[in-house]
């Protein structure tokens, strides 16, 4: 088995992980920052206030992005399955 193939597989897996996780993490960071600014301005010191907007924003974002995420995941999985003969046969 060639090291280049393994490195390529690992690179594609890391890129896939980033593509799937960055939108949800980014919306969580943005909403958390907005709630923190709101809490600072209004001097509300409730620690649980940040969780509700993050959860709601994440669920809404997933509702819109889930079809795209599935298509990217299925495409990448098909590419991995197409590479199996190269991994086994060394061709």
């Amino acid at each position: 088995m060639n090291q280049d193939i393994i490195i390529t597989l690992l690179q594609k897996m890391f890129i896939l992980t980033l593509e799937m996780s960055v939108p949800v993490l980014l919306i969580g960071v943005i909403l958390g920052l907005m709630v923190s600014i709101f809490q600072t301005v209004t001097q509300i010191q409730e620690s649980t206030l940040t969780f509700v907007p993050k959860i709601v924003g994440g669920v809404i974002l997933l509702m819109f992005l889930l079809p795209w995420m599935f298509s990217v995941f299925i495409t990448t999985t098909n590419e991995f399955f197409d590479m199996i003969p190269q991994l086994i046969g060394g061709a």
Side-chain angles (χ1 to χ4, degrees), residues 7-78:
I7 291 172
T8 303
L9 279 175
L10 288 174
Q11 182 182 18
K12 286 185 179 188
M13 283 190 274
F14 285 132
I15 290 172
L16 178 66
T17 304
L18 286 174
E19 283 180 358
M20 297 292 159
S21 62
V22 166
V24 179
L25 292 174
L26 193 62
I27 197 71
V29 168
I30 290 170
L31 288 175
L33 182 64
M34 289 173 54
V35 169
S36 295
I37 291 172
F38 175 75
Q39 284 181 325
T40 303
V41 169
T42 60
Q43 295 182 355
I44 297 174
Q45 298 300 323
E46 181 63 35
S47 61
T48 60
L49 184 64
T50 60
F51 294 115
V52 174
K54 286 181 185 180
I55 292 172
V56 170
V59 168
I60 290 172
L61 184 70
L62 281 176
M63 284 178 14
F64 286 111
L65 291 184
L66 212 54
W68 170 77
M69 287 180 171
F70 275 137
S71 72
V72 169
F73 183 75
I74 289 171
T75 302
T76 307
T77 304
N78 287 335

